[in-house]
Amino acid sequence: MAAQYADVVGTAPADLKARKLPLKDTPELRQALAEGEIHTLLMTYVHLSGDESMLDKFAPHIKSPYAYPPEEIPADLTAELRQKLLYVLSTPGAALEGDIAEALMHRMMTVGLAEEVADEFLPLLYDQIGFRPEVPRRQRKDRKPAPAGFKVLVIGAGMTGLAAGVKLAEAGYDWEIIEKNEEVGGTWWENRYPGVGVDTPSHFYSFSFALNSEWHNYHPQGTDMFAYLKRVADDYKLRPNIRFNTLVEKLVWDEDAAVWNVTVRRKDGSEEVIRANAVINGHGPVNRLKWPAIPGLDSFQGTRLHTATWDTSMDLKGKRVGVIGTGASAAQLIPAIAKDVSELYVFQRSRHWVMPSPAGDDEVTEGVKFAMRHIPHYLEWFRFRIYWYAADGLYPNVLLDPEWPEDSPSVSAVNEGMRKFAVGYIDKMFADRPDLREKLTPDFPVFSKRIILDRGPYFPTYLEPHVHLEQSGIEKVTPKGLLLKDGREIQLDVLICATGFDVANMMGDLEIVGIGGKHLRSEWGTEDPRAYFGMLIPGFPNYFHTVGPNSAPNHAAGQNLISERQVNYAIECLDWVNAKEKKALQPTKPAFDAWQKKVETQMVKMIWSHPRAYSYYNNSKKRNFLSWPWRLIDFWNECRGPRKEDFELL
């Protein structure tokens, strides 16, 4: 399977710092302006020219992408914008030099989105869009350098682990990443099922310090995501500090030396104990696959596999195939394999809300790629627009309106509007199939469980005559297929379980022993993880569990932002420890308990507390252990650094 990914590197990314004006008036530039996203072209033009009059002309026509009737910008106005931008880009001295005024930048954001952008968002936007890159810590005059020999061990070379490597190197720490696989990428190295990809838009699902102009699709395929992370590892020269084919098995805190003894096992079975002053665990929650609890699963005599352990050599042509699950992985897999199989049976365990992707499954055109490579500010403004509509712009949907009827399938007027939008999509796609409309329409609020993004081919697949959506429950797996609760037996050649991951077991098989021999597994059990600010636990000093309890951005896209900020927070904590000439820190028990209370108090106000809300965000007692119940801007702000009164220094 390694060969499938070995040579996937993609086009070398453009040197975005080298974008300079003027550009030559070439067919490529004119194509870029013709194909460029119009709101982004407007922001780019005003940024380069300072011409606010175009904001005045466009403002009456710009609407939210969810507005009805939809936005219509006059053709003569878009033609005028493109012509003016061509002049600014290709005429020597026409573009402004230096940064524009912050007030104008703020106005551009508000006009371009057709809604007010509050002042509190500006620092986050400047940081995440790439307009004001962070100064590397080693260059900060007010920071004490990291002490020699203070080692930080990072578990996993996925998105969070790579971000940790980049930022620890910038901070001057001694660091090492332990990766169980033979390559970087984490879940994007491991998941290879047909159609695998990312729901988050490509131009946002990337590091703010490593913007990428070379995405092939507006939502990245798995191979593209892996190629991007591989380039980050190469561009930032992380590989010498990554130990591949090595599994972290145990962490034990040495109280006398104030270090972690980390037991790792190599591929050949040999073990080693590494001593580290701090540990950043970036192994992620979507790393431990979950088989469905169906009687007889092991009795199936055909080919059985999980999407997370896909056999790339398998040929499905002409096979009778069953897929258990209709979640995110299944929604990508089903249309990708439907064209090959003779019969496809999809066994729906629960309904999901499905939203159409605004970009469909469209590839990024060469003209747009040219704009992102060569036109100053275009890529940043495109990322800004994607961020806003994929992130905190969606937050009102997950807030419970206390005056809204409790038995409603929505939680507020905003959420009801989104529900109608989603229902309209179902009605449109299955206008002549009331049976499928009934099977696919959920009765719970939109956003109370993960949204499925349809890039175009998913819903139409159910209209194919050889595709069967089964709602009857599964009684058991038989040697030849599945016996349903309505008495029918479906014979299959291949059974695919698209049943996700054991997200609640955030430790996996890792054993973690803290102060006084305290075991983290005893604290968390198998489904009830809790941490201060989603990362730290009393009794486990200098241990940062990233993507931990109640830190997932389940109202929006933004795991890349979460990963970056958690790494920032961990390093700020370590910088404070070293500035105070201490060895470690841990949250106090009162601060830990207060944080749990704060989360629980807020969660009652959220969509995930609706009576019909149930998903993998919840454990068996319906406690939401996964979701961050506030906005991403709140997470970003919290991660500026530790609240020192909440910690004990050792």
Side-chain angles (χ1 to χ4, degrees):
M1 293 199 298
Q4 180 193 11
Y5 277 88
D7 298 320
V8 178
V9 295
T11 306
D15 182 2
L16 300 179
K17 295 179 181 178
R19 294 174 295 182
K20 295 186 182 300
L21 297 179
L23 300 175
K24 293 182 179 180
D25 183 354
T26 62
E28 290 80 9
L29 176 57
R30 288 178 177 264
Q31 180 184 358
L33 297 178
E35 296 175 359
E37 199 278 322
I38 196 64
H39 307 85
T40 306
L41 293 177
L42 174 63
M43 298 299 103
T44 303
Y45 168 72
V46 177
H47 196 143
L48 292 172
S49 68
D51 180 8
E52 294 189 55
S53 68
M54 290 301 284
L55 295 177
D56 297 328
K57 291 181 178 181
F58 271 82
H61 305 288
I62 296 177
K63 296 182 180 181
S64 163
Y66 304 109
Y68 187 84
E71 174 182 280
E72 268 188 64
I73 300 177
D76 60 340
L77 188 55
T78 61
E80 179 186 356
L81 172 64
R82 290 185 170 101
Q83 190 60 40
K84 286 188 172 184
L85 182 52
L86 175 62
Y87 175 81
V88 170
L89 293 173
S90 60
T91 304
L96 298 175
E97 294 184 6
D99 292 334
I100 60 175
E102 188 162 302
L104 177 54
M105 183 84 80
H106 193 179
R107 185 181 177 221
M108 291 163 63
M109 293 176 179
T110 297
V111 171
L113 297 170
E115 61 181 276
E116 182 64 33
V117 175
D119 290 344
E120 65 172 325
F121 284 96
L122 296 180
L124 176 150
L125 293 171
Y126 290 138
D127 172 72
Q128 281 297 305
I129 295 168
F131 283 132
R132 295 181 182 174
E134 181 182 63
V135 176
R137 282 181 170 80
R138 280 188 295 187
Q139 299 177 18
R140 299 178 191 175
K141 297 179 180 179
D142 59 345
R143 175 182 177 266
K144 185 175 181 178
F150 190 100
K151 180 168 184 173
V152 183
L153 186 137
V154 180
I155 303 175
M159 176 168 275
T160 305
L162 294 179
V166 171
K167 294 304 175 181
L168 286 167
E170 287 183 356
Y173 281 97
D174 179 11
W175 61 277
E176 184 177 23
I177 297 175
I178 308 297
E179 170 54 51
K180 71 180 189 298
N181 295 322
E182 63 187 85
E183 245 305 355
V184 301
T187 190
W188 303 113
W189 164 252
E190 295 171 357
N191 283 266
R192 298 146 185 240
Y193 59 84
V196 62
V198 185
D199 289 351
T200 303
S202 307
H203 298 88
F204 177 44
Y205 197 66
S206 53
F207 297 125
S208 63
F209 55 82
L211 300 191
N212 182 26
S213 60
E214 304 305 318
W215 295 113
H216 298 310
N217 297 80
Y218 284 108
H219 291 87
Q221 304 297 322
T223 51
D224 286 341
M225 198 62 229
F226 167 67
Y228 170 74
L229 294 175
K230 187 176 178 181
R231 283 203 300 264
V232 169
D234 293 337
D235 291 348
Y236 286 87
K237 299 178 173 56
L238 303 182
R239 291 183 183 278
N241 288 62
I242 303 176
R243 196 184 301 202
F244 292 104
N245 294 313
T246 305
L247 180 68
V248 178
E249 293 190 324
K250 188 174 183 178
L251 310 177
V252 179
W253 179 252
D254 183 332
E255 294 184 45
D256 293 332
V259 297
W260 286 101
N261 289 321
V262 183
T263 301
V264 301
R265 180 166 49 84
R266 303 181 186 90
K267 192 174 183 179
D268 63 7
S270 62
E271 292 187 349
E272 178 185 349
V273 175
I274 303 171
R275 291 171 70 80
N277 300 86
V279 174
I280 297 176
N281 189 344
H283 71 183
V286 289
N287 192 258
R288 295 161 290 282
L289 64 84
K290 188 174 185 178
W291 291 100
I294 302 174
L297 188 63
D298 292 335
S299 70
F300 183 62
Q301 294 178 354
T303 301
R304 174 174 64 88
L305 71 164
H306 194 285
T307 49
T309 55
W310 192 265
D311 180 358
T312 56
S313 67
M314 184 174 57
D315 185 2
L316 295 178
K317 290 181 180 178
K319 302 287 180 64
R320 294 172 59 87
V321 177
V323 176
I324 299 176
T326 51
S329 297
Q332 296 172 353
L333 172 75
I334 289 166
I337 66 174
K339 60 183 179 297
D340 292 330
V341 305
S342 62
E343 298 289 333
L344 179 59
Y345 294 87
V346 179
F347 301 95
Q348 179 175 260
R349 300 188 298 170
S350 62
R351 296 176 173 89
H352 293 263
W353 284 110
V354 177
M355 295 284 189
S357 166
D361 200 29
D362 293 343
E363 294 184 357
V364 181
T365 67
E366 286 305 313
V368 170
K369 288 181 183 178
F370 182 95
M372 292 179 174
R373 292 169 190 151
H374 301 292
I375 298 179
H377 313 313
Y378 182 93
L379 178 56
E380 290 84 351
W381 279 113
F382 188 82
R383 180 178 169 98
F384 160 73
R385 185 172 179 81
I386 290 293
Y387 163 79
W388 192 262
Y389 286 122
D392 280 341
L394 297 171
Y395 185 72
N397 280 283
V398 297
L399 285 173
L400 285 169
D401 179 351
E403 304 299 322
W404 201 254
E406 187 175 294
D407 61 350
S408 171
S410 56
V411 298
S412 66
V414 171
N415 187 248
E416 174 64 13
M418 190 65 76
R419 189 189 73 85
K420 289 180 177 178
F421 177 80
V423 169
Y425 182 56
I426 295 172
D427 291 345
K428 175 184 176 183
M429 298 304 297
F430 303 108
D432 299 324
R433 290 290 304 274
D435 59 321
L436 288 175
R437 287 206 308 272
E438 188 281 326
K439 287 181 179 180
L440 291 166
T441 303
D443 63 353
F444 52 82
V446 180
F447 290 106
S448 62
K449 67 192 296 187
R450 182 174 176 177
I451 296 292
I452 302 301
L453 188 74
D454 188 357
R455 303 176 193 170
Y458 176 53
F459 265 179
T461 301
Y462 289 118
L463 297 172
E464 296 293 331
H466 70 298
V467 177
H468 316 282
L469 180 60
E470 298 288 345
Q471 251 187 334
S472 179
I474 300 171
E475 184 70 28
K476 65 178 181 178
V477 180
T478 70
K480 294 184 178 181
L482 298 182
L483 178 64
L484 305 186
K485 291 185 176 180
D486 63 9
R488 291 179 297 139
E489 183 173 8
I490 307 294
Q491 295 193 358
L492 301 170
D493 301 309
V494 180
L495 178 60
I496 301 169
C497 297
T499 48
F501 300 88
D502 186 7
V503 177
N505 180 15
M506 289 190 170
M507 290 179 59
D509 295 326
L510 182 62
E511 185 179 357
I512 305 177
V513 184
I515 293 175
K518 180 190 294 187
H519 285 252
L520 187 55
R521 192 174 304 282
S522 299
E523 300 284 309
W524 281 4
T526 59
E527 64 164 12
D528 198 32
R530 297 171 186 263
Y532 170 87
F533 196 42
M535 279 188 280
L536 298 117
I537 309 100
F540 300 86
N542 283 8
Y543 173 74
F544 302 88
H545 195 106
T546 65
V547 200
N550 295 112
S551 66
N554 291 140
H555 72 279
Q559 185 52 57
N560 50 304
L561 182 150
I562 296 293
S563 293
E564 282 189 39
R565 293 305 286 177
Q566 287 186 325
V567 167
N568 179 79
Y569 184 86
I571 296 176
E572 288 293 325
C573 286
L574 297 179
D575 278 357
W576 179 43
V577 168
N578 290 314
K580 291 295 184 180
E581 298 184 349
K582 298 292 184 176
K583 295 182 178 180
L585 90 172
Q586 63 176 342
T588 65
K589 186 62 165 58
F592 175 88
D593 292 340
W595 181 259
Q596 306 313 312
K597 182 65 175 177
K598 183 178 180 180
V599 170
E600 291 169 7
T601 300
Q602 181 65 19
M603 200 64 74
V604 174
K605 306 172 186 178
M606 308 305 295
I607 194 170
W608 306 296
S609 298
H610 188 278
R612 300 184 198 173
Y614 196 85
S615 73
Y616 67 80
Y617 307 159
N618 305 88
N619 64 15
S620 62
K621 296 180 180 179
K622 211 177 183 297
R623 186 181 84 83
N624 187 321
F625 64 88
L626 189 66
S627 304
W628 171 257
W630 295 280
R631 303 168 302 168
L632 289 179
I633 178 66
D634 300 316
F635 195 95
W636 191 87
N637 284 328
E638 288 279 358
C639 281
R640 289 177 184 270
R643 295 180 181 178
K644 297 176 182 177
E645 64 272 20
D646 287 353
F647 286 90
E648 175 188 2
L649 293 175
L650 305 178

